[in-house]
Amino acid sequence: MYPETTPNPPAVRAPEVHHPTPLAPAMAPYAAPLVPVQPQSVPAVASVVLPDGRVVTGYAVAPAQPEPAAAKPAVSRAAVNVALGGVGFLALCGGLLLLTTFITALTALITQLITLAVVVFGGWIAVQIFGSNRHGAGTTVNIRKAVIKRNKFYS
């Protein structure tokens, strides 16, 4: 059940090292190298003296100008999405209500048809069973004039 123990440890192999080979460059055309573009004007250098006496020198950065406010619609997109979702939900609920109403009406119709068939068929059976004895509609055999000789029947 258990593997046999061996007194000698298994031989240790030297690890194999695989060096990846680089892929050949694709024969796709390369984009033209980007050429640095010099600014049209050199910005002014500003120096600021901090309260502890240090001087920080750097380019002046213009404050960020807020973007002009775009004309906002009278109704937000979220409100439109909620309204459309509500309309879709109401349409779905109305359709489901009509579907359940149709299924209920169909079930009632089938039940009434089955009941009508049972009543009509049961009445026909009752007429067949109880009506034949009263009206004498069976086959009548008059055997008064018959002559029986040696187990033969003559009429």
Side-chain angles (χ1 to χ4, degrees):
M1 181 167 170
Y2 294 106
E4 296 180 12
T5 58
T6 57
N8 298 332
V12 178
R13 291 189 215 171
E16 297 178 12
V17 178
H18 296 282
H19 296 287
T21 54
L23 298 174
M27 298 304 290
Y30 291 103
L34 295 176
V35 178
V37 178
Q38 296 293 330
Q40 297 295 333
S41 62
V42 178
V45 177
S47 297
V48 177
V49 179
L50 297 177
D52 60 354
R54 291 181 294 160
V55 177
V56 178
T57 304
Y59 292 106
V61 178
Q65 298 291 331
E67 294 183 13
K72 291 187 177 181
V75 180
S76 69
R77 288 185 182 191
V80 171
N81 289 339
V82 168
L84 290 176
V87 169
F89 182 73
L90 287 177
L92 176 69
C93 288
L96 289 177
L97 182 65
L98 287 176
L99 181 65
T100 54
T101 305
F102 175 74
I103 290 172
T104 305
L106 187 64
T107 304
L109 175 68
I110 291 172
T111 304
Q112 289 177 356
L113 289 176
I114 290 172
T115 305
L116 179 66
V118 167
V119 167
V120 169
F121 187 68
W124 183 75
I125 295 277
V127 166
Q128 294 299 318
I129 292 174
F130 299 118
S132 63
N133 293 338
R134 294 181 185 164
H135 301 297
T139 303
T140 304
V141 178
N142 189 356
I143 60 170
R144 280 187 239 163
K145 296 179 183 178
V147 179
I148 300 174
K149 292 183 180 178
R150 297 186 189 150
N151 295 330
K152 298 253 180 163
F153 179 78
Y154 300 99
S155 60

